[in-house]
Amino acid sequence: MKSGKYSCNTRSETIEWITAIIDFLKPFSFLINAHVVNFFKDKQWEDVDEEWMSCLRNEKPENILLIPSGSVQDHWPASLTDFVHTLRSLSFPREQADLQTMLSDVNVAPLSTVLSQGMNLKKKHEVEVLSSVVSSVVNSVGESTVIDVGSGQGYLAQVLSFQYKHSVVAIDSSSHHGNVTDARAARIRKHFASQMRKSGLNLFSVSSGNKCPDAPTTITCRVLSTEMLKSLTNVPLEENDLDLDAAALNEGPKSSQSSSDANRPCSLVLAGLHACGDLSVTMLRTFMECEEVKAVVSIGCCYNLLSEKASESSCSKCGFPMSAGLKSLGFSLGKNARDLACQSAERWSSLGEDAGLQNFELHSFRAAFQMVLSKHYPEVLATSPSIGRQGKAFRRQKQRKALETPSKLETSRKDTDKKSMTHTSSSFEKFCLSAFSRLNLERPQDLDLSATWNEAHAFTELIGPYWSIRAALGPVLETLILLDRLMFLQEQGDSIQVTMLPIFDPTISPRNVAVIAKRLLP
């Protein structure tokens, strides 16, 4: 676990890395806490080094998009180059680890068409890799039941059950997801049973080792907490489709559980594929607080949903910070910083020039619309309104238009070479009308959208550089969140073995870092 000169193999190394990140970030709080929707309204470009903006305003869009990935150009100012390189050195590496070298007994096996049905490329890659890692961890700690936390449609749980033949419980807050998981598992089990019958095997022959794999147990829990996960040790895991709340779980063992089952020691492994926000934090706390949980494999996401409180004395159960070490430093993130931590350098670097320009254009439209709200609807602006994800719709419209008029597209590409972004007042007006509709607002009669756009247009070529410089801070902020979780586990002493690895291909799945912890036998 190393990035350049920083390592996190021990608690002291981790706190050194965390301290270096915080020291670097403090002077750039104006960028971290900014929101690009206020770019024109607050003249945010004036806060950035003038030499940087002067250089980047004429830079090729593809080079600007590579800034979050640590790419620089020879003609850039030395201070900008140092900024980008330092960010890169402070970020946890994202290149997919050699799992067979880093973890014992890992063999990533391709999924059959039956198990992968319904999965897109990203989900198939994630489930293939994570299921092999979780299976390896289960094998290393002894026979255990895997709890798939935040299981969704049960893809991971079903692969662990049917391919790796582990006992699995799929837990999710949505009863719909539980029903989908059960129905899908039934179809898969029917397929396996059919294959075994064709092979002349006894479906129920345990001694022969040919028993048809059991489907995962599903539990719908409306309140997910550390106490609830701990209570799973009292639930008869042989029963499928349990619909429970926290109170029901805390009542203790069900009457259908036999005395032999009740006396049998329970061993659990928690697994979470992109468990959102505090859910990943809850998994780590449960691992520490419940001795029946022998290991945890957690891949987090949605850092914007993490709970965080300004008062460190009152945030013992909040999502950030977790570790005593980071709490002692008195550092907080804030909502905009947590949003920024979700940015993916790999995803933006894969964008082509046209897609990148469209992205910058949409940021310009949204920031210019913010000026409209500020002038005509200040009371709405105070509520931090969301106008939804209009970006995809606008990109699809442009793509259709480009296909219909290829000659015009060629002309626009030539224009793009002369200007970093092509904007039209009519496109901005369409954007605003759609935004008014989404917010249930009337268009003000005295509103001159052309004048608003003309006021903003002179600075639109600065929004791409500003956005990219700010986005470059994202991987470092995510690193800070991950290191906090790692150090929380390292602070628990030598009885815990913990590692942090990028297990997915980051170009397919950018949130690819797994926190893997196991209890060591006394």
Side-chain angles (χ1 to χ4, degrees):
M1 297 182 287
K2 188 174 181 180
S3 174
K5 66 178 182 178
Y6 298 104
S7 299
C8 53
N9 294 310
T10 65
R11 181 184 173 189
S12 60
E13 289 178 348
T14 304
I15 193 64
E16 179 183 359
W17 194 341
I18 287 175
T19 303
I21 289 175
I22 292 174
D23 289 344
F24 181 80
L25 290 178
K26 283 180 178 178
F28 297 101
S29 60
F30 70 92
L31 269 176
I32 294 171
N33 297 321
H35 202 312
V36 181
V37 297
N38 297 316
F39 182 76
F40 298 125
K41 182 175 73 71
D42 296 343
K43 299 182 178 180
Q44 291 175 335
W45 63 89
E46 294 182 351
D47 296 328
V48 183
D49 189 307
E50 185 177 354
E51 188 181 16
W52 295 8
M53 299 303 285
S54 297
C55 171
L56 294 177
R57 72 185 304 165
N58 297 315
E59 188 57 75
K60 295 178 180 178
E62 56 265 37
N63 291 340
I64 293 176
L65 287 166
L66 290 174
I67 290 176
S69 298
S71 178
V72 299
Q73 304 301 312
D74 293 339
H75 60 276
W76 288 3
S79 58
L80 176 57
T81 298
D82 289 344
F83 170 81
V84 175
H85 283 166
T86 302
L87 284 175
R88 194 64 173 173
S89 70
L90 288 169
S91 300
F92 192 80
R94 295 314 176 87
E95 296 78 15
Q96 187 177 15
D98 183 346
L99 297 178
Q100 289 185 323
T101 300
M102 301 298 295
L103 300 172
S104 61
D105 191 33
V106 171
N107 181 24
V108 180
L111 302 183
S112 67
T113 54
V114 173
L115 284 173
S116 63
Q117 186 177 12
M119 299 184 194
N120 58 24
L121 175 65
K122 176 176 178 290
K123 183 64 69 176
K124 184 172 182 249
H125 171 70
E126 292 167 346
V127 172
E128 272 185 353
V129 175
L130 183 57
S131 60
S132 68
V133 171
V134 172
S135 182
S136 169
V137 170
V138 172
N139 293 336
S140 69
V141 299
E143 184 178 353
S144 302
T145 294
V146 180
I147 309 295
D148 181 4
V149 182
S151 57
Q153 297 188 47
Y155 293 135
L156 176 63
Q158 288 154 8
V159 172
L160 287 168
S161 289
F162 291 109
Q163 181 160 307
Y164 291 96
K165 297 179 174 55
H166 294 301
S167 170
V168 183
V169 175
I171 181 168
D172 198 271
S173 62
S174 168
S175 59
H176 170 71
H177 284 164
N179 293 335
V180 170
T181 298
D182 288 341
R184 189 174 186 274
R187 291 195 299 270
I188 295 172
R189 194 174 193 278
K190 184 177 180 180
H191 168 81
F192 272 82
S194 174
Q195 294 298 107
M196 292 182 71
R197 279 193 295 267
K198 289 178 181 179
S199 302
L201 299 175
N202 187 336
L203 300 184
F204 307 102
S205 175
V206 178
S207 59
S208 67
N210 292 321
K211 183 177 179 289
C212 186
D214 292 325
T217 299
T218 58
I219 293 180
T220 298
C221 183
R222 288 175 288 277
V223 180
L224 195 49
S225 64
T226 300
E227 289 71 24
M228 185 282 300
L229 284 178
K230 289 165 65 176
S231 297
L232 284 176
T233 59
N234 294 327
V235 174
L237 301 181
E238 291 79 8
E239 294 184 8
N240 267 22
D241 199 19
L242 298 173
D243 189 1
L244 306 171
D245 57 20
L249 282 167
N250 285 325
E251 289 175 358
K254 297 279 182 164
S255 58
S256 60
Q257 189 176 25
S258 68
S259 58
S260 61
D261 286 337
N263 294 326
R264 185 182 60 195
C266 182
S267 177
L268 304 176
V269 171
L270 302 182
L273 173 55
H274 295 150
C276 288
D278 286 351
L279 190 52
S280 293
V281 173
T282 298
M283 291 173 62
L284 300 183
R285 287 204 171 102
T286 303
F287 168 66
M288 292 311 311
E289 295 176 11
C290 184
E291 64 180 15
E292 288 85 359
V293 180
K294 305 304 180 185
V296 60
V297 182
S298 171
I299 302 173
C301 73
C302 303
Y303 307 120
N304 54 308
L305 300 179
L306 281 174
S307 60
E308 181 182 15
K309 295 181 181 178
S311 172
E312 299 303 331
S313 61
S314 62
C315 77
S316 60
K317 292 296 184 181
C318 65
F320 180 90
M322 287 190 73
S323 66
L326 188 46
K327 288 178 183 179
S328 69
L329 298 176
F331 184 81
S332 61
L333 288 173
K335 183 180 184 304
N336 286 351
R338 296 196 304 272
D339 286 342
L340 187 53
C342 299
Q343 290 289 347
S344 163
E346 289 79 14
R347 184 161 289 167
W348 293 114
S349 65
S350 65
L351 286 179
E353 179 180 351
D354 289 344
L357 287 171
Q358 289 173 14
N359 175 67
F360 295 156
E361 182 178 71
L362 289 166
H363 279 301
S364 296
F365 287 171
R366 180 62 183 89
F369 181 69
Q370 194 82 341
M371 296 169 64
V372 173
L373 292 178
S374 178
K375 181 178 180 180
H376 296 276
Y377 289 102
E379 71 283 359
V380 174
L381 190 66
T383 66
S384 300
S386 172
I387 62 173
R389 303 179 67 180
Q390 295 198 76
K392 288 186 177 180
F394 267 77
R395 278 193 286 269
R396 284 195 294 266
Q397 289 174 13
K398 285 203 163 193
Q399 287 168 355
R400 284 196 297 267
K401 192 172 182 180
L403 290 172
E404 293 168 0
T405 56
S407 59
K408 291 183 179 180
L409 175 63
E410 186 62 32
T411 301
S412 72
R413 282 179 174 165
K414 291 177 181 178
D415 292 341
T416 297
D417 292 336
K418 300 176 183 178
K419 198 80 172 175
S420 63
M421 290 184 292
T422 300
H423 299 292
T424 64
S425 180
S426 60
S427 294
F428 173 61
E429 183 169 354
K430 290 177 182 177
F431 182 95
C432 290
L433 293 177
S434 174
F436 280 133
S437 175
R438 288 169 182 253
L439 295 175
N440 294 318
L441 298 175
E442 294 289 337
R443 174 177 175 168
Q445 292 184 352
D446 61 340
L447 174 59
D448 186 346
L449 289 174
S450 294
T452 301
W453 184 248
N454 289 336
E455 181 184 351
H457 185 266
F459 306 101
T460 54
E461 61 187 3
L462 297 175
I463 201 166
Y466 182 89
W467 179 89
S468 295
I469 290 171
R470 184 173 181 271
L473 294 160
V476 177
L477 290 166
E478 183 182 17
T479 296
L480 180 62
I481 293 170
L482 293 171
L483 290 176
D484 174 50
R485 296 175 181 184
L486 176 68
M487 189 162 67
F488 168 78
L489 295 169
Q490 290 174 334
E491 290 171 347
Q492 310 307 318
D494 296 335
S495 63
I496 303 298
Q497 181 186 76
V498 57
T499 188
M500 201 160 74
L501 289 175
I503 66 171
F504 303 142
D505 181 340
T507 63
I508 300 175
S509 181
R511 300 276 84 78
N512 71 340
V513 177
V515 177
I516 304 170
K518 295 188 286 188
R519 294 186 188 278
L520 298 178
L521 295 175

